[in-house]
Each structure stands twice: as C-alpha cells, then as structure tokens.
C-alpha cells in the first residue's frame, strides 16, 4: 500500500498526523492482508534529519508493521539517513533503474528487502531481460534467507511488461515465492 502523495509530496512529511490517521484508519482494516507500506518521496525532497525523524516517529506511533521508503534524492543515501531508518525499523527500496549507486541495493532496516523495478532502459515501459530476472531471483533467495521478508514489485506497466516479468520471476523462484507457499 502506497502512502498518499498528499503526505509525501504536498505536506512533504511535515504536520501530517491527521492525514496519516485518515489514510491508516481504513488501511488497518486489511489486517493480515496488508503487506508493507511504501513511502515514495518526491525527487527534490532532501534528507533533513529533524523533519525525517519527526515523520518517522509519527508514522511508527500509528503503524507498527513493515514500512519501506523510496527516497529519490541522493542525500537519503548518506549514513545519517541509513541510521535513522534503522532506528525506526524502516527499510529502503532497491530501485531499478537506480538514481545513485546505493539506490540499487536495499538499505535502512535489514529486516526487509524490497525491490521496486520501474523498467529499464525506458522507465515504466521496458520489459526486463531474462538474464536480469534470473540474477534477481538468486538475489531474492539470498535476501529472503537473511531477513524477515523480501519483496519485488514491478512498476513497468506502461507497455504491460509487469505481469510477464513477474510471472517469469515467480517461475524462477518456485517454492521460494510467498504466494506459492499459501
């Protein structure tokens, strides 16, 4: 479930307790079906420890389950940001294509590995090569063995590549895929 842009882009994580309550109230009704929350930040939102810390405290006071953040500004890949995310048990997205060297690997809290694939080379449109997905399957197996959860979300829906890519990856993961264990 993605946290609304009203919180991340318009309020820019500030003074958003009421907006979080309005979002999380209905979302909590999903119970065990609720996966992790995705907090996707605007590209120009720089890391500022005080503001980020306040937001994460407010979020964690209302939501104890898994949360992942997708920062899109290079300042969020510095050690101070990593430490703050660890403190609040917030994982950082491994994005493809990466916008900075650290953006391609999971970060923050190490209890969750979360990959968000936007399509490459053309974001939102390109399908992934099978070789890339084969390597990703091996990586997801390693990450799932080392942490509580591993997720992979395809966001290359512009030319309908997400479903075939996801099905191919699911086939490579076989019994390791969460959906097949249910």
């Amino acid at each position: 479930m993605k946290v609304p842009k009203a919180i991340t882009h318009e309020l820019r994580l500030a003074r958003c307790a009421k907006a979080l309550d309005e979002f999380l109230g209905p979302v909590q009704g999903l119970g065990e079906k609720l996966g992790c929350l995705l907090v996707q930040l605007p590209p120009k939102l720089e890391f500022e420890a005080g503001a980020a810390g306040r937001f994460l405290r407010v979020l964690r006071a209302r939501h104890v389950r898994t949360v992942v953040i997708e920062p899109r500004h290079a300042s969020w890949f510095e050690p101070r940001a990593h430490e703050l995310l660890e403190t609040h048990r917030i994982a950082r997205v491994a994005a493809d294509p990466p916008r900075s060297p650290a953006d391609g690997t999971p970060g923050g809290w190490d209890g969750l590995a979360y990959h968000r694939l936007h399509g490459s080379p053309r974001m939102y449109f390109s399908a992934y090569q099978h070789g890339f997905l084969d390597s990703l399957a091996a990586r997801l197996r390693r990450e799932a063995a080392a942490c509580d959860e591993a997720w992979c979300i395809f966001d290359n829906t512009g030319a309908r590549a997400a479903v075939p890519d996801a099905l191919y990856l699911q086939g490579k993961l076989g019994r390791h895929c969460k959906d097949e264990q249910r």
Side-chain angles (χ1 to χ4, degrees):
M1 183 70 60
K2 194 175 189 181
V3 173
K5 281 186 174 183
I7 294 168
T8 58
H9 290 57
E10 294 168 24
L11 295 174
R12 300 174 62 81
L13 309 181
R15 296 179 302 283
C16 58
K18 182 180 177 191
L20 273 171
D21 289 339
E22 290 170 355
F23 165 67
L24 290 171
V27 166
Q28 302 296 357
L30 292 171
E32 290 300 313
K33 292 183 180 190
L34 175 62
C36 56
L37 291 184
L38 169 64
V39 180
Q40 184 186 54
L41 301 179
K44 293 184 180 178
L45 184 62
E46 293 183 39
F47 175 75
E48 196 280 298
R54 282 187 294 278
F55 170 74
L56 296 178
R57 280 190 298 280
V58 169
L59 175 61
R60 279 304 191 202
R62 289 157 171 75
H63 185 77
V64 297
R65 297 186 64 196
T66 53
V67 176
V68 63
I69 193 165
E70 184 179 9
R72 296 188 280 173
H73 190 277
S75 61
W76 282 85
F77 299 94
E78 299 296 323
R80 290 183 324 139
H82 178 82
E83 291 167 12
L84 184 66
L85 295 175
E86 278 185 321
T87 297
H88 292 282
R89 295 177 47 98
I90 308 288
R92 191 189 69 231
V93 165
D96 188 78
R99 292 165 288 268
S100 70
D103 195 16
T105 58
W109 176 59
D110 63 4
L112 170 67
Y114 189 106
H115 295 263
R116 195 149 188 258
L117 306 172
H118 299 287
S120 183
R122 186 172 175 217
M123 283 184 75
Y124 308 116
F125 289 89
S126 294
Y128 285 94
Q129 299 294 317
H130 286 176
F132 175 88
L133 296 174
D134 294 342
S135 296
L136 179 61
R139 183 177 180 178
L140 287 168
R141 277 191 210 97
R142 288 190 306 273
E143 290 171 349
C147 65
D148 299 333
E149 295 181 65
W151 287 72
C152 183
I153 306 297
F154 289 91
D155 189 22
N156 54 339
T157 57
R160 299 187 177 131
V163 171
D165 284 351
L167 291 172
Y168 180 86
L169 180 63
Q170 185 178 32
K172 287 295 176 179
L173 289 169
R175 66 177 185 83
H176 297 282
C177 186
K178 184 177 183 178
D179 288 336
E180 290 187 5
Q181 291 177 354
R182 290 185 180 168

